[in-house]
Amino acid sequence: MRVRDLLAPGAPRLRLLAAEDELDRQVSGVMTTDLHDPGRYLHGGELVLTGMLWRTGPADSERFVRTIAAGGAVALAAGEAEVGPVPEDLVEACRRHRMPLLAVPDDIAFGTVTEFVGRQVSADRAADLAALVDRHRLLVSAAGGGGLDAVLDLLGGDLDLDCWVLTPTGAVIAGPADRLSAEDRDQLVRAHLAAQRQRRRPPHRARLATGSYSLLPAPATADAEHEAPLADWVLAVAGDVTEWTTKRQQLAENLARLVAAERQRRDEGRRLRRRLADELLDRLRRDADPAEISRTLYASSAMAARYESAEPKPQAQEGSWLVLSADGTGLPEGMVRAVLEEALGGTTDRALVAGAGTGAVVVMPVLEAAVPADTLRDLLAPLEAGLGSEGRITLGVSAPASEAGGLRGALEEARHARRIAAARVGRVCVAGPEELASHVLLLAAVPDEVRRAFRSRLLDKVIGYDIEHQADLVRTLEAFLRSDGSWTRCAGQLHVHVNTLRYRIGRIEELTGRDLSRLEDRVDFYLALELA
């Protein structure tokens, strides 16, 4: 703020007494003092508030004004509550030293002036930072520079404003990661994705146990016809921006635009990598010579090594690769590819993600600890909030391929695993190579109508009995099979008497015509429950 703002409408009722030509000075803060020599406590830019208790005669006025002028004060406000009207010798001293002098009436508290200056300085600082953010956004988009962390650090230091840039799976792109727990990040991205799916107008608000947050999208593209909300970054700001001043809200909006520009710049850099990924997928589909495949993998590794950040990443095992096959139900083309690029970006910079209509294929090096299906499932779990009732993502993971020639088989293995995942219930389902040697592979290959008929013949009567009699036969059957037919162990798990268990199993056998002492019938029931 400037000194003249203290005389504007809405400001405390101060009277200007001297140096009307110096009102454009910038005020950085307030110092309240009645010391005879406050100069050593001044840093420059202060409005000095004083009750004039230091004054015993005209000479004191000259000495006081000379001291604060030398210390860098930009204006003096003298209170009239204690010693009455501002004396003429103080007015003359301020004129000589070109120090703006303001009189504070006896009904205006110093606290009122201090609060007004604090609000104005904070708002102006926010406006200055907003301009800085806007300039930085242009620099980022034009020159390809990073710097999101630096901008967020600046906001945190100058405005005590905590901000984070998150991927839709909750990974931190920028911001103080140690000040936002994994649980909070998960809740924030889920709240954001749910709001995006419902097409609510941003900023979206989320209230967690740790406080309130505002969420602003940073879209992957400015083209409204190609929205990919499941792959968008999100700017999370501590506090409710709707309660902020207009200038402070503009700061948050400008920052969101900066993040979006950085995201688009980063995506531009992915274009060559995407071409490599599509080329590799084409070669795998036509069973190209392993030497061709090796050349593409080598080009990918060389590119990653050139552009990798200095931050340490998990090391890849030389010549060992995983293949992931994914598909999106109820999602537009390209969405799954964009989602996996974001989700796996924090795992390795060397993943090649190829697009295949509504699906995607990923070829990535095996890390020190290979990415298991459970890890991928947990990684993608937050996306459930943005999928809606019809949307699904299914993903299959191959076993590691030790050489380029084995990638064609790994692709087929990943596709089989994805079919297993697709047969499950859930919005995000993942299956790994360990499941390809079990009965679930056979179940996944069975047509849906055959699966439904098999399940119905074995379980419909049991389920109907449970509904009609409020019984617990299905749960009893599951426990009996898990206990390998042990009456004692099963009764203990269900917390019932063995005779009660025998009665329930007998009722199941009567309803179905099967004998649970026979291995064949136990296998049939187990498969029917798996299909359910």
Side-chain angles (χ1 to χ4, degrees), residues 27 46 114 152 156 328 357 369 383 388 408:
V27 180
E46 294 93 345
T114 301
L152 298 190
L383 300 175
R408 182 71 179 84

Side-chain angles (χ1 to χ4, degrees), residues 192 194-205 215-217 241-242 253:
H192 168 71
Q196 289 283 85
R197 178 170 55 81
Q198 296 163 8
R199 297 189 176 276
R200 300 209 308 263
R201 185 184 181 88
H204 310 133
R205 285 169 288 179
L215 307 170
L216 295 95
V241 301
T242 62
E253 292 166 2

Side-chain angles (χ1 to χ4, degrees), residues 479-486 489 522:
F480 186 72
L481 296 175
R482 282 198 308 269
S483 303
D484 298 323
S486 169
R489 195 159 71 245
R522 287 187 189 178

Side-chain angles (χ1 to χ4, degrees), residues 128-201:
D128 290 342
L129 284 171
L132 173 63
V133 167
D134 195 56
R135 288 195 299 273
H136 188 77
R137 175 179 63 83
L138 295 176
L139 287 172
V140 166
S141 59
L148 284 180
D149 271 312
V151 174
L152 298 190
D153 286 345
L154 179 64
L155 295 176
D158 279 22
L159 286 181
D160 195 25
L161 183 62
D162 284 338
C163 305
W164 299 266
V165 179
L166 307 175
T167 70
T169 55
V172 177
I173 297 293
D178 59 331
R179 296 169 66 176
L180 193 65
S181 69
E183 181 181 355
D184 284 352
R185 296 199 305 268
D186 181 83
Q187 293 184 58
L188 289 176
V189 295
R190 286 177 184 267
H192 168 71
L193 289 170
Q196 289 283 85
R197 178 170 55 81
Q198 296 163 8
R199 297 189 176 276
R200 300 209 308 263
R201 185 184 181 88

Side-chain angles (χ1 to χ4, degrees), residues 190 193 197 230 377 380-388 426-428:
R190 286 177 184 267
L193 289 170
R197 178 170 55 81
L230 286 177
R377 189 182 300 109
L380 300 176
L383 300 175
E384 295 174 349
L387 285 170
R427 294 182 183 177
V428 176

Side-chain angles (χ1 to χ4, degrees), residues 96-429:
R96 282 192 297 273
H97 291 280
R98 306 183 65 82
M99 178 66 64
L101 175 61
L102 305 162
V104 184
D106 58 8
D107 61 337
I108 301 294
F110 278 7
T112 301
V113 178
T114 301
E115 182 181 355
F116 176 80
V117 172
R119 287 200 307 270
Q120 294 294 317
V121 169
S122 177
D124 287 352
R125 188 177 295 153
D128 290 342
L129 284 171
L132 173 63
V133 167
D134 195 56
R135 288 195 299 273
H136 188 77
R137 175 179 63 83
L138 295 176
L139 287 172
V140 166
S141 59
L148 284 180
D149 271 312
V151 174
L152 298 190
D153 286 345
L154 179 64
L155 295 176
D158 279 22
L159 286 181
D160 195 25
L161 183 62
D162 284 338
C163 305
W164 299 266
V165 179
L166 307 175
T167 70
T169 55
V172 177
I173 297 293
D178 59 331
R179 296 169 66 176
L180 193 65
S181 69
E183 181 181 355
D184 284 352
R185 296 199 305 268
D186 181 83
Q187 293 184 58
L188 289 176
V189 295
R190 286 177 184 267
H192 168 71
L193 289 170
Q196 289 283 85
R197 178 170 55 81
Q198 296 163 8
R199 297 189 176 276
R200 300 209 308 263
R201 185 184 181 88
H204 310 133
R205 285 169 288 179
R207 183 175 296 276
L208 309 184
T210 53
S212 297
Y213 297 85
S214 299
L215 307 170
L216 295 95
T221 173
D223 188 350
E225 294 182 0
H226 297 87
E227 293 179 347
L230 286 177
D232 287 348
W233 288 353
V234 54
L235 172 64
V237 182
D240 186 347
V241 301
T242 62
E243 298 177 352
W244 292 0
T245 63
T246 301
K247 288 183 178 180
R248 216 170 154 89
Q249 289 181 20
Q250 290 172 351
L251 169 64
E253 292 166 2
N254 285 340
L255 182 57
R257 285 194 285 271
L258 182 154
V259 173
E262 173 66 8
R263 168 65 193 275
Q264 291 165 25
R265 181 199 67 79
R266 199 280 317 274
D267 282 357
E268 285 293 319
R270 278 181 170 170
R271 287 191 174 185
L272 179 56
R273 193 162 190 79
R274 286 176 174 174
R275 286 201 293 270
L276 278 176
D278 290 338
E279 178 183 308
L280 177 61
L281 179 59
D282 177 67
R283 289 177 174 176
L284 291 177
R285 283 174 168 169
R286 57 185 175 83
D287 202 12
D289 187 274
E292 290 185 57
I293 297 173
S294 293
R295 284 195 292 270
T296 305
L297 294 176
Y298 177 80
S300 169
S301 297
M303 183 188 303
R306 181 178 177 184
Y307 293 108
E308 270 179 346
S309 63
E311 182 179 348
K313 297 278 187 179
Q315 295 299 308
Q317 297 176 13
E318 191 67 30
S320 188
W321 301 81
L322 286 176
V323 178
L324 282 60
S325 175
D327 190 45
T329 302
L331 300 178
E333 291 189 8
M335 177 75 80
V336 172
R337 179 183 199 169
V339 164
L340 290 177
E341 283 179 333
E342 285 306 316
L344 298 175
T347 305
T348 174
D349 290 333
R350 299 171 182 263
L352 288 173
V353 186
T358 60
V361 171
V362 181
V363 178
M364 59 186 289
V366 177
L367 306 178
E368 291 172 347
V371 181
D374 287 345
T375 300
L376 284 170
R377 189 182 300 109
D378 293 341
L379 185 66
L380 300 176
L383 300 175
E384 295 174 349
L387 285 170
S389 58
E390 301 298 324
R392 292 188 75 205
I393 294 176
T394 53
L395 194 146
V397 186
S398 76
S402 59
E403 56 186 19
L407 286 179
R408 182 71 179 84
L411 175 60
E412 288 303 314
E413 191 173 58
R415 285 173 172 167
H416 284 304
R418 186 186 58 76
R419 293 190 189 101
I420 293 173
R424 292 174 175 161
V425 176
R427 294 182 183 177
V428 176
C429 298

